[in-house]
Amino acid sequence: MNNKQSSSNRSVNRRRFVKAAGAAGTVALAGCSGNGDGGDGGGGDDGTDDNDRGGNDGGDTTGTPGQETITLDWAADPRIEQNKDVVLSELRNAGLPEHIELNIIAGSSVTDQRQDQYTQWLNSQRSKPDLLMMDGGWTIPFIVRDQVENLENHLSSDHIDTVNEEYFDSAVSTSKSQDGKLHAIPMWVGLPGMGYRKDLVKEAGYDPDGENWATEGITWEKFSKVVSEVKESNDGIEYGYTFQAADYEGLSCCNFNEFLSSWGGAYFGGNLFGPIGDRPITVNEEPVLNSIRMIRTFIHGEDDSEALDGYAGNIAPEAVLQWNEQNSADPFLNGNAVANRNWPSYIKDASEELGDSLGFMPIPHAVSADEAKYDGRGGPVGALGGWNMTMNPYSEKKEAATEFIKATMADSFHLEAVFKGVGQIPPKPSVLSSEGASEVPEIGRFMDTFRVIGENAVPRPVTAVWPQQSSEISGEVNTTLGQSKSPEDAMSDLESSLKQIEESV
Amino acid sequence: MAQEQTLRHRLAIHRPILNRIERLNETQFAYLLLVPAGLILGVVAIWPLIRTFEMSLHSDALLSPDVIGEFVGLQNYVEVITGQRDSQMGSAFFDPSNPFQSALAVTFIFTLVSVILETIIGFGQALVLDKQFKGRRWARVAIIMPLAVPIVIQGMIFYLMFQPNIGFLTEPLQQIGLFSSAPLAQSFDATVILIVADVWKTSAFMALLILAGLQSIDRNLYNVAKVAGATRWQRFKRITLPLVLPMVLVAMLFRTIQALKVYGLIETIASCNTVPSLSCMVVSTFSNGLYGTSATVAFIIAAIIGITVTGYVWKVGDDAIDT
């Protein structure tokens, strides 16, 4: 798919394109760098479509005067678009050359829709967008299909080593091919936690600070009682605990993964990365069933035929069965809920809305790590989400795209753009530990909590068959949470369909 | 001068062909005129169908860079129809014990109920619009308005209506025991809501087609019937119904074809996971890289539509043409 055209033709066409795109809202980076020259790069040479800088790995920041402007199309997150000014200026500070401009294509905030969009683009072997941000939950299926570029062919060994040695392991494992080659660079990680109304909890007589909720978390049993009490004693608050239990990827990858892990259970005996067909299916086990009974108690109360003793009921609305991240965050942001499980970006929003009233802790647990049936489970667990940066293998601007990826790996970019700007957690623990991180106004104060969540994060089961398994899991779990099936029947059915999928490849 | 020579030269070259065309009889000439349309139809409809069928004869290639796997003949069809692929497809293809969670049943239930309701309501609307009364123009606008609403907007309207925390219909309907508090998360409730949404929008389509049929009826027939002492019901039964029936059947055929392909409405109001139609299955398997399976389900839909159309044409085609 190497579309070689006459270079002279292309240079004229490209200049015209850049001008047109600029008029149509293309983001010109030159303005962000203080250079002020947002022009089209002048009469550059008629080189190839990629820039002619040669593979310098140093990321020097000065573009060659008169070098031809290259515009990269970047399929990114809506939050990137919302914070494009800081993102673009930090890219420039991190070494993105002056002659490389960016056109940000903000995709849907719904992960499944982004996946569908990319599938169509890459199946048709389009050369644009040059760069695609992919959910860590479905990067591997694209890697398996050779639909993302092997970055080890473009980045220096230093860059590769940095990712392998300094990034969160769980995030890196979503970015590699079967033979261990890096095809994506983690852009940020999702470390979910529990936001709660600290002011109301204190009014109810609890002492979150004294009991170290922020770093040690609490049990689900205690959590349910706290939420129930606070809800009962505050007439103005309609909801207790809000989370995401709609029939979608977010339930299977994350919310349910957290519930069952917090009970010490696991999807595949803890073996989330395969090999496919050669790992146990462990959904039809007591820890998993108990986690379902617990959620049903939260939603339907003690009257539910599966209700667990000792847990306060009716603390979550039945509406959670239709809610995703945004739906579940809204009541909490409006001061209409006691607690909300969500991702850091929403915690940032909540911090802005609620100020000092906001408390933040790891997701509660039912059993400790020592009592858990599987390694790495129990205690304060959180499903590690996150998004990766990938390069389109059909791109005609791979050198420029490589320069861009290098710039996104800079610590300054992680801290200023990803953490402060977008409100997401950088993929390098060292950035989280830095002084700059704790000084970030909205979420810097929760740094200790994020570190605990990061240390106890449960990876997502990201194999090539995960998208199919995910849909089976979310379907069965949503059904049993809605009382249409018993937990035993749902998990037994799920066990057999997961087994079938494992054996189908 | 030079141009004239060129034209003559060209005519001389094409003369034999033109002569042949002139010698064609009327029927042959009519068929000849249909050739361009046939070619266009072949390119935009038949060829993709053939390609889809060809893809459906290959296995999925989930763990390889190839888009489709090896040739497997009709194995995909056998495995899809017998339910062996259900786990990979996200929902059952056909499970009589759980009809609202199986694609074939959901599709047929949705099609059958919505088309019947749309026909009855559309017929009623057409009869109203056929009458002369004050404000008829406004009544037409009111009836046709939903048809102008794009599917996504229509979907959002119903989605918001049945949201647990903000939907104004959710709580009252729950209190009278009709729906649960999260109706769009329940397959049965969501299917009912989808049918209502579809009927709301497309009854007007039926009404317009039936109205066209009604207005083509010779009014003198009614005058004669009145003179003969026929009651209102007799006039409807003996004149209106038989004369408008071919148009009703054609309208039902159009709606049936559209309903069998339902996807957008489901995705915007509920979700394909809650109400899995056949088209949903095509999209979800395609998204997951199961191209052989996706093509198989797509071809099954095409086959069902093909059989439906053929059945309609055989059953009512002659009647429709005669009228």
Side-chain angles (χ1 to χ4, degrees):
Chain A
M1 287 308 295
N2 197 3
N3 303 334
K4 291 277 180 209
Q5 301 173 23
S6 122
S7 56
S8 59
N9 277 347
R10 204 167 48 238
S11 78
V12 172
N13 289 343
R14 193 187 312 112
R15 271 203 293 277
R16 280 188 188 159
F17 166 74
V18 170
K19 279 184 179 174
T26 296
V27 181
L29 281 182
C32 303
S33 63
N35 163 324
D37 173 18
D40 62 2
D45 61 29
D46 294 341
T48 60
D49 217 322
D50 291 346
N51 66 43
D52 300 338
R53 302 178 66 247
N56 96 26
D57 294 328
D60 66 75
T61 59
T62 53
T64 312
Q67 190 153 22
E68 196 166 359
T69 302
I70 294 172
T71 302
L72 292 173
D73 288 299
W74 176 20
D77 197 86
R79 284 179 173 269
I80 294 278
E81 170 64 26
Q82 288 157 15
N83 296 279
K84 66 185 174 204
D85 291 346
V86 63
V87 168
L88 300 177
S89 68
E90 286 307 322
L91 280 170
R92 191 64 82 205
N93 289 342
L96 188 70
E98 301 286 346
H99 67 280
I100 297 175
E101 295 182 355
L102 283 182
N103 178 31
I104 295 174
I105 304 162
S108 164
S109 59
V110 180
T111 181
D112 307 32
Q113 289 174 7
R114 295 269 286 282
Q115 184 189 5
D116 291 352
Q117 177 74 81
Y118 294 177
T119 299
Q120 288 183 33
W121 282 342
L122 294 168
N123 278 351
S124 59
Q125 304 191 345
R126 281 177 43 150
S127 60
K128 292 177 179 179
D130 305 283
L131 297 141
L132 304 105
M133 278 185 71
M134 290 190 178
D135 190 324
W138 40 258
T139 307
I140 284 180
F142 284 97
I143 295 175
V144 167
R145 298 193 158 284
D146 280 352
Q147 289 182 322
V148 287
E149 186 73 7
N150 178 358
L151 297 179
E152 300 204 8
N153 295 337
H154 299 273
L155 296 170
S156 69
S157 55
D158 285 350
H159 284 99
I160 303 297
D161 291 346
T162 300
V163 175
N164 285 329
E165 291 163 16
E166 296 180 31
Y167 280 47
F168 281 110
D169 286 341
S170 304
V172 177
S173 58
T174 68
S175 310
K176 287 184 166 180
S177 57
Q178 288 263 300
D179 57 357
K181 296 277 186 266
L182 204 63
H183 284 63
I185 306 290
M187 182 89 169
W188 62 63
V189 291
L191 297 175
M194 187 71 75
Y196 66 96
R197 290 291 300 274
K198 198 175 194 173
D199 55 335
L200 303 179
V201 167
K202 281 180 173 174
E203 278 173 27
Y206 292 94
D207 182 16
D209 296 327
E211 295 173 3
N212 296 326
W213 289 16
T215 51
E216 292 170 25
I218 56 175
T219 62
W220 280 116
E221 201 172 338
K222 182 171 184 173
F223 173 80
S224 67
K225 285 171 180 157
V226 171
V227 171
S228 180
E229 267 182 58
V230 172
K231 185 170 166 269
E232 293 305 314
S233 52
N234 288 276
D235 290 341
I237 291 195
E238 190 179 354
Y239 302 113
Y241 164 45
T242 63
F243 57 103
Q244 303 91 50
D247 183 354
Y248 81 125
E249 167 76 16
L251 176 59
S252 44
C253 78
C254 307
N255 281 258
F256 187 57
N257 196 4
E258 286 156 13
F259 282 121
L260 63 90
S261 299
S262 72
W263 275 85
Y267 281 134
F268 302 100
N271 185 350
L272 302 185
F273 300 107
I276 300 164
D278 194 20
R279 51 185 181 165
I281 310 288
T282 52
V283 290
N284 196 11
E285 294 183 351
E286 208 52 30
V288 181
L289 295 170
N290 277 331
S291 72
I292 295 173
R293 292 177 188 127
M294 179 185 77
I295 314 166
R296 281 179 57 150
T297 311
F298 289 168
I299 298 171
H300 305 290
E302 288 87 346
D303 296 342
D304 188 291
S305 57
E306 299 287 337
L308 279 183
D309 286 341
Y311 288 82
N314 292 116
I315 60 166
E318 202 176 343
V320 293
L321 299 174
Q322 280 179 219
W323 277 350
N324 58 27
E325 282 81 354
Q326 187 67 57
N327 306 133
S328 69
D330 285 342
F332 187 65
L333 296 174
N334 298 334
N336 201 20
V338 180
N340 171 234
R341 175 265 177 217
N342 228 315
W343 301 101
S345 51
Y346 290 94
I347 298 303
K348 180 180 179 242
D349 295 344
S351 190
E352 287 167 3
E353 295 289 332
L354 303 169
D356 289 343
S357 305
L358 176 71
F360 185 56
M361 63 177 166
I363 286 163
H365 54 277
V367 299
S368 68
D370 296 337
E371 297 164 322
K373 181 170 181 177
Y374 295 103
D375 280 347
R377 304 302 191 271
V381 293
L384 188 98
W387 284 76
N388 302 325
M389 181 66 69
T390 66
M391 192 193 294
N392 181 348
Y394 310 108
S395 167
E396 294 163 3
K397 304 168 186 173
K398 287 181 186 167
E399 270 188 59
T402 303
E403 292 298 321
F404 168 87
I405 287 176
K406 284 182 203 165
T408 63
M409 291 174 64
D411 284 5
S412 61
F413 179 81
H414 285 151
L415 182 64
E416 300 295 330
V418 172
F419 193 49
K420 286 186 189 175
V422 181
Q424 296 285 10
I425 304 295
K428 283 170 80 172
S430 60
V431 176
L432 281 184
S433 308
S434 69
E435 208 171 300
S438 56
E439 290 167 0
V440 174
E442 294 88 6
I443 50 178
R445 57 192 166 125
F446 303 130
M447 231 48 284
D448 290 342
T449 306
F450 280 124
R451 243 195 320 275
V452 171
I453 297 169
E455 285 160 10
N456 293 281
V458 177
R460 293 159 66 172
V462 285
T463 58
V465 292
W466 172 247
Q468 298 163 63
Q469 291 177 326
S470 166
S471 130
E472 288 294 319
I473 292 168
S474 63
E476 291 292 352
V477 173
N478 183 270
T479 301
T480 184
L481 295 186
Q483 297 178 304
S484 301
K485 240 183 199 183
S486 73
E488 291 83 0
D489 287 350
M491 289 304 104
S492 163
D493 291 350
L494 180 61
E495 182 181 28
S496 53
S497 48
L498 291 181
K499 201 168 278 179
Q500 267 188 32
I501 294 169
E502 290 280 304
E503 291 163 358
S504 69
V505 291
Chain B
M1 194 68 191
Q3 279 183 335
E4 199 178 322
Q5 273 187 334
T6 310
L7 191 65
R8 279 187 184 172
H9 178 66
R10 280 186 185 166
L11 278 173
I13 291 171
H14 296 301
R15 177 61 56 195
I17 299 170
L18 294 172
N19 287 344
R20 279 204 67 161
I21 291 172
E22 280 171 7
R23 284 200 298 272
L24 291 174
N25 65 36
E26 214 163 302
T27 308
Q28 289 170 328
F29 187 65
Y31 278 117
L32 180 68
L33 292 180
L34 285 175
V35 167
L39 284 174
I40 292 168
L41 190 71
V43 170
V44 302
I46 312 293
W47 172 242
L49 207 60
I50 292 168
R51 275 288 293 145
T52 303
F53 182 66
E54 191 214 345
M55 272 182 81
S56 73
L57 302 178
H58 290 77
S59 66
D60 299 321
L62 197 64
L63 299 179
S64 87
D66 300 326
V67 172
I68 48 174
E70 61 195 10
F71 181 82
V72 292
L74 295 175
Q75 189 185 327
N76 287 341
Y77 289 89
V78 173
E79 291 187 359
V80 164
I81 291 167
T82 56
Q84 294 172 60
R85 289 279 170 87
D86 287 358
S87 58
Q88 286 105 295
M89 295 195 297
S91 58
F93 180 77
F94 182 60
D95 176 9
S97 67
N98 194 2
F100 291 97
Q101 268 295 298
S102 74
L104 193 69
V106 162
T107 307
F108 279 159
I109 290 167
F110 175 84
T111 303
L112 194 70
V113 179
S114 64
V115 171
I116 289 172
L117 288 176
E118 283 155 20
T119 306
I120 294 167
I121 293 168
F123 209 133
Q125 289 174 335
L127 288 172
V128 168
L129 294 179
D130 193 39
K131 293 278 175 284
Q132 294 291 342
F133 60 92
K134 204 175 174 190
R136 187 173 74 148
R137 189 174 295 183
W138 292 111
R140 279 190 185 200
V141 171
I143 286 172
I144 293 166
M145 186 66 80
L147 195 59
V149 176
I151 283 182
V152 173
I153 308 296
Q154 173 202 10
M156 285 313 295
I157 291 169
F158 280 85
Y159 171 79
L160 292 170
M161 263 199 287
F162 293 97
Q163 270 300 293
N165 48 334
I166 51 174
F168 67 92
L169 279 179
T170 317
E171 209 166 322
L173 289 172
Q174 185 202 352
Q175 280 170 353
I176 58 172
L178 270 180
F179 285 156
S180 72
S181 69
L184 297 180
Q186 304 282 348
S187 293
F188 175 78
D189 295 358
T191 307
V192 172
I193 291 166
L194 282 164
I195 289 170
V196 170
D198 197 57
V199 168
W200 173 79
K201 182 178 162 75
T202 45
S203 293
F205 173 80
M206 298 292 276
L208 286 176
L209 285 181
I210 295 167
L211 181 63
L214 286 174
Q215 297 197 327
S216 67
I217 297 172
D218 185 352
R219 305 285 147 160
N220 289 324
L221 292 172
Y222 292 106
N223 297 333
V224 172
K226 275 183 192 169
V227 170
T231 63
R232 189 182 289 256
W233 169 245
Q234 285 172 324
R235 291 201 298 273
F236 175 78
K237 197 174 142 188
R238 305 279 180 187
I239 301 170
T240 309
L241 200 56
L243 290 178
V244 88
L245 191 63
M247 191 57 90
V248 172
L249 291 172
V250 168
M252 284 177 78
L253 172 62
F254 286 163
R255 278 301 310 137
T256 303
I257 292 169
Q258 284 176 326
L260 284 169
K261 297 185 296 185
V262 64
Y263 169 72
L265 201 61
I266 294 176
E267 199 59 299
T268 47
I269 295 179
S271 86
C272 278
N273 289 344
T274 314
V275 186
S277 71
L278 286 171
S279 290
C280 280
M281 210 170 238
V282 174
V283 175
S284 68
T285 48
F286 182 86
S287 299
N288 292 339
L290 305 170
Y291 302 119
T293 304
S294 183
T296 304
V297 182
F299 198 79
I300 288 172
I301 298 175
I304 291 169
I305 290 172
I307 291 164
T308 308
V309 172
T310 310
Y312 263 85
V313 170
W314 268 357
K315 273 293 202 193
V316 304
D318 290 344
D319 297 345
I321 291 161
D322 288 345
T323 52

